[in-house]
Amino acid sequence: MKELAKQCIEHVGGAANIQAVSHCATRLRLTLRDQSQVNEAALTALPEVIKVMQVGAQTQIIIGSDAPELYGVVSQLVEQAQSETPAKSAEAAEKQPAAKDKKKAAAGKFFDACSSMFTPLVPAFTAAGMIKAVLAILVAVFGLAKTSQEYIIINYVSDTIFYFLPIYLGVTAASYFGCNKYIAAAVTAMFVHPTYVGLVSAGEAVAFFGIPVVLYNYSSTVFPTILTVWFMSYVERFARKVSPKVVKAIMEPMLTLLITFPVGLLILGPIGAVLGEVLMQIFAAIDASVPFLVPMIVGAVSPFLVFVGMHRAVGTLETMQIAQMGSSSLLGTGMLASNIAQGASTLVLSLKSKDEKVKPLAFTAGVTALCGITEPALYGFTAKNKKSLIATVIGGGVGGFYAGITHVVRFAKGAPGLPTLPVFISLDNPMNLINACITVLIAFAVAFIAAWVMIKPEEIQ
């Protein structure tokens, strides 16, 4: 794995060219400063690599279930290399904004940023979500009282990732913007510091050297952190330039923190809070007026989002909604229908194929898709068998439509599939889980029947 990591780093232009490292279930995601340095042919030639994709400034190396392990090794090697050559890394970071402006459109930069900042946090979101699901089962099935100490402790542990989201996001945002992660964590921690939270709870007027402080509950917010760390990345470069070498180690971090925190607290934090509120209102309006629209569209187009690696970036919006509203109907419900449909259409390929090598591989990929991981099915089978892809789109769209009209929501993140159905449990609305299960049945049945009717055994690749 270490040798594979070294080769991946080498073929993307070396550690100095890597701005951020993240991963999902099957992909190593490298956000690069200069994408022209990528040797895609050399990467694809590596035996462990299934496919290489370029999305914005991000190079996505698809290797399957070993992606999290490869991520750990690559992250360690990159951090070690950049700490040994800080001057070269700093020089590359200073050049980064101009290079990115020339090479990417605004939309591309937005999705690249979302993916880079939120993908590293997915395991924490998933863990917290599944603990929430277990807690709901303990209450609904085993009668655990909500006033019990056990419930209170488990509940606050599962809430931790969302409550302290500004700090976690500060670290990943710093990696993306190319500034010090630990200073970013220190800056963004001011948004959830107990003293600040106490000032918000007191509700009394607060001023900083005569400037009014807009008091806002920043726990679980996103935009205040991103704006503040973005501003900090420029402050840090300024501090690096003006700090004399003899005291640079002291003056650079001091100036960075001293300049960033009042701007974040007085200006960027409130602006980000307003942006978040507006976005949540838009989500609420869509859900109230046309609740079927988003789940149906997502259910139909999810294979294409996954194919280009944009599902993680779009999932950022869902993370915001869950963090601030407690539940979401944006991505998870539609992707649940799509993943189940993908599994069904791939199982049809297994059942109808005359190739004894295809049968077990397609069956395994189909079951994996039912469990929420669709890359093996998508890249191995449905992308090559167009009728299977069409059946997936139909089944996902129909299943997503049902989820939309019944207002199915999920309360935590996790790969949408059969094992994560507990994230749809609602103690206040038992029908939410039932409708999620019906969504699964509809998506599977529609996709299976469509694939069975359209696909001929001799056409299967």
Side-chain angles (χ1 to χ4, degrees):
M1 190 59 65
K2 189 171 184 179
E3 183 60 31
L4 175 61
K6 289 180 178 178
Q7 291 176 319
C8 289
I9 294 171
E10 176 188 350
H11 296 322
V12 298
N17 192 41
I18 298 177
Q19 182 179 346
V21 186
S22 59
H23 74 95
C24 59
T26 59
R27 309 175 190 217
L28 176 70
R29 297 164 178 258
L30 303 174
T31 300
L32 306 178
R33 296 186 169 95
D34 182 3
Q35 208 166 18
S36 64
Q37 296 187 38
V38 176
N39 188 339
E40 190 169 332
L43 285 171
T44 307
L46 296 175
E48 298 88 350
V49 175
I50 300 172
K51 189 177 181 64
V52 177
M53 304 187 68
Q54 307 288 349
V55 181
Q58 198 175 79
T59 294
Q60 301 179 357
I61 304 173
I62 304 170
I63 68 163
S65 58
D66 287 331
E69 184 181 355
L70 179 61
Y71 159 78
V73 181
V74 169
S75 297
Q76 184 179 19
L77 292 176
V78 169
E79 187 170 348
Q80 179 181 353
Q82 292 182 349
S83 65
E84 292 173 353
T85 56
K88 187 174 181 181
S89 298
E91 181 182 355
E94 290 182 7
K95 293 179 180 178
Q96 167 245 326
K100 292 175 78 173
D101 286 341
K102 292 178 181 178
K103 294 189 176 184
K104 297 196 296 176
K109 286 197 284 186
F110 171 76
F111 285 115
D112 177 42
C114 290
S115 180
S116 298
M117 293 179 200
F118 283 88
T119 298
L121 301 177
V122 168
F125 290 138
T126 302
M130 294 310 295
I131 290 176
K132 280 279 189 184
V134 170
L135 188 60
I137 293 173
L138 289 175
V139 173
V141 178
F142 298 99
L144 180 67
K146 290 185 177 182
T147 55
S148 67
Q149 294 178 348
E150 291 77 13
Y151 178 93
I152 293 171
I153 291 174
I154 296 174
N155 189 54
Y156 92 72
V157 168
S158 63
D159 282 339
T160 300
I161 177 62
F162 295 106
Y163 184 87
F164 293 106
L165 182 58
I167 301 177
Y168 297 115
L169 188 57
V171 173
T172 57
S175 294
Y176 177 76
F177 292 120
C179 53
N180 189 290
K181 294 183 287 187
Y182 306 104
I183 298 178
V187 171
T188 54
M190 70 179 176
F191 291 129
V192 289
H193 191 281
T195 299
Y196 177 80
V197 173
L199 293 174
V200 174
S201 300
E204 299 176 358
V206 177
F208 184 74
F209 289 106
I211 303 174
V213 177
V214 179
L215 297 178
Y216 188 88
N217 183 4
Y218 289 110
S219 65
S220 304
T221 58
V222 169
F223 291 119
T225 293
I226 294 176
L227 290 176
T228 301
V229 177
W230 167 77
F231 174 73
M232 177 193 141
S233 68
Y234 288 94
V235 173
E236 186 178 75
R237 291 171 202 148
F238 166 77
R240 185 180 300 127
K241 289 180 180 180
V242 301
S243 299
K245 288 186 178 180
V246 68
V247 291
K248 184 184 290 285
I250 299 173
M251 184 169 287
E252 180 184 324
M254 182 192 73
L255 286 176
T256 301
L257 185 59
L258 196 60
I259 296 173
T260 303
F261 93 79
V263 175
L265 185 64
L266 300 173
I267 302 174
L268 299 179
I271 290 175
V274 171
L275 289 175
E277 289 285 353
V278 170
L279 192 59
M280 291 306 109
Q281 290 175 8
I282 292 173
F283 291 159
I286 292 174
D287 196 43
S289 56
V290 281
F292 66 87
L293 184 62
V294 175
M296 181 179 68
I297 292 175
V298 171
V301 306
S302 278
F304 308 104
L305 293 176
V306 174
F307 191 78
V308 298
M310 296 303 294
H311 57 303
R312 292 293 182 192
V314 178
T316 300
L317 300 175
E318 182 183 52
T319 301
M320 296 180 192
Q321 193 178 31
I322 291 176
Q324 296 188 238
M325 301 178 66
S327 64
S328 175
S329 59
L330 284 176
L331 186 71
T333 52
M335 285 202 75
L336 173 67
S338 177
N339 292 353
I340 297 299
Q342 182 117 234
S345 63
T346 308
L347 289 177
V348 169
L349 294 175
S350 174
L351 293 172
K352 299 193 77 170
S353 176
K354 296 180 179 180
D355 189 332
E356 293 303 317
K357 293 182 179 180
V358 170
K359 278 183 174 294
L361 293 175
F363 181 82
T364 301
V367 172
T368 303
L370 294 177
C371 293
I373 307 298
T374 59
E375 279 90 344
L378 178 62
Y379 294 117
F381 298 98
T382 53
K384 297 188 295 185
N385 297 273
K386 305 305 180 186
K387 292 180 180 178
S388 176
L389 182 59
I390 293 172
T392 299
V393 171
I394 295 172
V398 174
F401 176 79
Y402 178 82
I405 61 175
T406 55
H407 294 275
V408 174
V409 297
R410 68 173 182 168
F411 300 92
K413 293 182 69 68
L418 298 180
T420 57
L421 278 175
V423 301
F424 292 91
I425 295 176
S426 171
L427 298 177
D428 299 323
N429 179 19
M431 284 302 298
N432 191 70
L433 176 62
I434 295 174
N435 285 325
C437 293
I438 295 174
T439 297
V440 167
L441 294 175
I442 291 174
F444 186 93
V446 171
F448 191 94
I449 294 171
W452 191 270
V453 171
M454 291 190 294
I455 295 173
K456 299 178 180 179
E458 59 272 15
E459 296 175 341
I460 298 176
Q461 300 182 42

